[in-house]
Amino acid sequence: ADETFLLTVASEISAELGNLRDAYRWACTVHAAVPNDYRTLIVLSMVAFSIGNVHEALGHALAARMVRKGALHAVLQIMRCQNRLGNFYASLGAFQPLADRTVVPPDLRGELARGYEGLGDRERAIAEYRSALAIDPDNAAAVRGLLGVYAPGGHAAELDALKARYRRAIEEDYVCLSILGIEALDRGDLKEAKRVFTRTAALAQA
């Protein structure tokens, strides 16, 4: 039991640090001994998602939800997978058991936003991204999401306000910069596009 516990913790820490090989190895060891271990199923789902095996990740997340119905991490992983697969109604449906919670973690808010965005409900997507930022002002995924909503649509005032408020976070995130680089190209500002893409390349190589 002690060894299983230690391996579970080691797999979780490795997953958080991005050491996917060790996370997978240790999680598989625990999973072989205790197939219905909730924490191990979550780690296996996270690792599979990180390497692009989204269907496998979804399977582990669904198994985790069967072990602990309504558990936050299981629901989050299910929503991530369903959104990545384009199953936006399924993503929003997975959230329903948590709909009555007074406090919803920002990562879940972000997945809700992606689900609404995928269904074309722009206003609800924006509201959920902003709710995520109200809980965690440094939530990079929510900033990316809002940029993704505003940049292609010609919403100059909203985009400028967002850039002004979260300038530091944006300048340190290559995904945010990539969105802004494409937006600059679309409006013909080659000088700004060059600046942004140069910064993006520097971050990617760091």
Side-chain angles (χ1 to χ4, degrees):
D2 289 343
E3 182 182 2
T4 297
F5 172 75
L6 291 173
L7 288 173
T8 301
V9 173
S11 70
E12 291 173 332
I13 293 172
S14 296
E16 290 296 329
L17 295 176
N19 184 354
L20 301 182
R21 178 176 296 181
D22 283 345
Y24 183 74
R25 176 164 59 92
W26 287 324
C28 282
T29 301
V30 176
H31 186 57
V34 191
N36 291 327
D37 183 81
Y38 170 81
R39 292 165 63 181
T40 300
L41 288 167
I42 293 297
V43 172
L44 289 172
S45 179
M46 291 170 61
V47 172
F49 187 86
S50 295
I51 63 176
N53 290 342
V54 183
H55 287 94
E56 180 182 343
L58 178 59
H60 289 307
L62 290 170
R65 186 177 64 177
M66 290 180 65
V67 175
R68 292 189 189 176
K69 295 187 182 300
L72 288 177
H73 283 94
V75 172
L76 176 60
Q77 280 300 112
I78 291 169
M79 293 179 72
R80 280 176 175 161
C81 294
Q82 298 289 22
N83 280 332
R84 179 67 62 86
L85 293 169
N87 300 328
F88 303 115
Y89 283 113
S91 174
L92 297 177
F95 178 76
Q96 286 309 303
L98 306 179
D100 293 335
R101 291 178 65 96
T102 54
V103 178
V104 176
D107 287 347
L108 277 168
R109 289 287 184 195
E111 294 304 327
L112 273 174
R114 276 182 275 280
Y116 286 126
E117 189 176 356
L119 294 174
D121 193 337
R122 179 177 174 274
E123 296 305 318
R124 293 182 80 172
I126 291 171
E128 292 297 345
Y129 283 132
R130 292 200 177 281
S131 293
L133 286 168
I135 301 168
D136 176 13
D138 297 322
N139 192 286
V143 176
R144 292 174 181 174
L146 284 174
L147 284 175
V149 171
Y150 289 139
H155 306 281
E158 293 94 336
L159 186 60
D160 287 343
L162 189 68
K163 289 192 292 185
R165 182 167 185 178
Y166 299 102
R167 184 171 303 280
R168 178 177 295 180
I170 290 170
E171 288 292 327
E172 297 300 323
D173 187 276
Y174 74 92
V175 176
C176 289
L177 290 172
S178 296
I179 294 171
L180 291 178
I182 294 170
E183 185 271 337
L185 282 177
D186 286 344
R187 56 185 169 81
D189 191 341
L190 299 183
K191 183 178 179 180
E192 176 64 7
K194 180 180 179 181
R195 184 197 73 81
V196 171
F197 284 133
T198 300
R199 175 65 179 161
T200 304
L203 286 176
Q205 294 171 4

